[in-house]
Amino acid sequence: MPDNRVALVTGAGAGIGRASALALAADGARVVVSDIASGNGEETASMIREAGGDARFVHADVTRESDVVALVATAIDTYGGLDCAVNNAGIEGTLAPVGNYSLADWQQVIDINLTGVFLCLREEIAVMLSRGSGSIVNIASVYGLRGSSRSPAYTASKHAVVGLTKSAAGAYATEGIRVNAICPGFIRTAMVERVLELSPDAEESIVARHPIGRLGTPEEVAAAVVWLCSDESGFVTGHTLAVDGGFLI
């Protein structure tokens, strides 16, 4: 990635979002770091600056239209534009089969994981259209490509993110804007650690579902993010890239 590109990463306070922000900065981008958890987000921005990079933290709730509008506007006001964006903010939600799922729990997951991506996409695309180029990466999940019996809202939201990615990619390919999705397997993040705490043998069982024989790291997903945001992937759009250790095999 050439120096002085501007990147925006949501949910950048931890896990895949933080790793992506750090990797993009290491690759030369100036990074707008966003998260609903201000302390975590500020820490990510500080880590970038301490490593010699340029970063600005912006608190934003991706379910609030006004927050997303202000977030993208800050990228323009601070750095003059937007070259790539990583829509990563998301939650796993309650673990329960669909028959036991409350409407409130369902709505929270859909609002954050799907509507949040839509709002970010809309604002990011508007800026990129004015520049005639850009790359957007939506973080979905392997459960955007298969089902999970105890995560109906999460599964539905991630399937929808994959579909939304394809829709946006098709609409703006001729405008120089590429939109792709990454579907991580089980990555060692705070979200997955919460799942692993549910039972003593949870990690062994989950690892066994990955032919590669281990969980992934946030940095491995971030490497794919950097590639999709770079000119090296210039002929790639509307693609769903599984970074999953063979989980979907």
Side-chain angles (χ1 to χ4, degrees), residues 1-2 5 20 23-24 27 84 86 135-137 178 180-182 219-237 239-243:
M1 176 181 294
R5 280 196 176 183
S20 296
L24 287 164
D27 203 47
C84 55
V86 184
S135 177
I136 300 173
V137 180
R178 297 185 297 109
N180 294 286
I182 291 177
E219 290 74 22
E220 288 171 316
V221 180
V225 166
V226 171
W227 180 70
L228 286 173
C229 286
S230 75
D231 291 340
E232 293 179 355
S233 61
F235 200 55
V236 181
T237 195
H239 181 62
T240 303
L241 174 61
V243 181

Side-chain angles (χ1 to χ4, degrees), residues 128-212:
M128 292 175 180
L129 281 172
S130 67
R131 298 166 68 90
S133 66
S135 177
I136 300 173
V137 180
N138 297 323
I139 304 299
S141 166
V142 286
Y143 289 124
L145 298 172
R146 56 152 292 175
S148 173
S149 60
R150 299 190 67 231
S151 299
Y154 184 82
T155 299
S157 69
K158 295 302 186 178
H159 271 74
V161 167
V162 169
L164 181 59
T165 297
K166 293 177 180 180
S167 179
Y172 298 102
T174 59
E175 305 292 340
I177 300 171
R178 297 185 297 109
V179 188
N180 294 286
I182 291 177
C183 290
F186 282 76
I187 308 299
R188 197 172 288 281
T189 62
M191 180 186 291
V192 169
E193 291 293 345
R194 288 191 289 271
V195 175
L196 298 180
E197 291 171 0
L198 294 177
S199 67
D201 63 344
E203 181 163 353
E204 181 180 355
S205 174
I206 289 172
V207 167
R209 299 167 71 183
H210 296 73
I212 208 165

